[in-house]
Amino acid sequence: MKLKNLRPMIWTDKFDETIDFYTKIIGFIVGERNDDWGWASLYKDEVEIMIAKPNEHTPFEKPIFTGSFYFNTDQVDELWEELKDIAKICYEIENFEWEMREFAIYDNNGYLLQFGQDLEK
């Protein structure tokens, strides 16, 4: 068995607002969207993410994820300059001892998005 990729699906009760955040703020493109299902698939470069309204099969009170979504990039400083004044900041850009330059923001649901660039490359 070979795993090919990971495409997270985030649940939200703010479907349109979430699609707007990822497309207008982060620069994702809507690949597919089905309003009847309350589902959309977004992509940017080699990254895909799905957005979904909660369904009746799973309890949902509010968006919650006990981790973060970590995006590797080769232009973290440029991305920081684009996002720092329009997104809610978790921590500002800095170099870390594990040889990553990174920063983190929150999306419109409160999910933590980290962006990092390998300093060794």
Side-chain angles (χ1 to χ4, degrees):
M1 175 186 75
K2 177 182 177 183
L3 299 177
K4 294 184 177 184
N5 64 22
L6 175 66
R7 187 168 54 155
M9 182 178 309
I10 59 172
W11 294 349
T12 180
D13 52 358
K14 301 172 190 166
F15 186 67
D16 291 323
E17 183 182 319
T18 301
I19 291 172
D20 284 348
F21 176 88
Y22 281 89
T23 57
K24 294 177 180 173
I25 303 295
I26 308 291
F28 277 74
I29 297 167
V30 176
E32 294 182 59
R33 179 177 177 156
N34 188 310
D35 288 326
D36 291 335
W37 298 344
W39 173 87
S41 179
L42 313 176
Y43 68 92
K44 179 175 180 167
D45 303 318
E46 297 177 32
V47 176
E48 292 183 72
I49 190 167
M50 294 183 285
I51 312 296
K53 291 180 182 178
N55 62 47
E56 67 276 3
H57 303 293
T58 306
F60 181 87
E61 293 179 31
K62 65 180 184 174
I64 186 167
F65 181 71
T66 59
S68 67
F69 296 101
Y70 196 98
F71 298 85
N72 291 85
T73 181
D74 59 356
Q75 297 180 326
V76 73
D77 288 296
E78 291 86 348
L79 191 55
W80 168 250
E81 288 301 320
E82 290 176 21
L83 297 177
K84 69 179 184 173
D85 296 325
I86 58 175
K88 182 179 177 186
I89 306 299
C90 175
Y91 61 87
E92 295 185 3
I93 195 163
E94 66 178 285
N95 294 344
F96 289 92
E97 61 190 58
W98 48 87
E99 298 299 320
M100 292 295 288
R101 181 164 176 77
E102 63 184 56
F103 68 93
I105 64 171
Y106 296 101
D107 80 355
N108 64 299
N109 298 286
Y111 292 116
L112 181 59
L113 311 178
Q114 293 175 275
F115 299 89
Q117 182 172 351
D118 188 345
L119 291 172
E120 292 183 351
K121 292 184 179 180

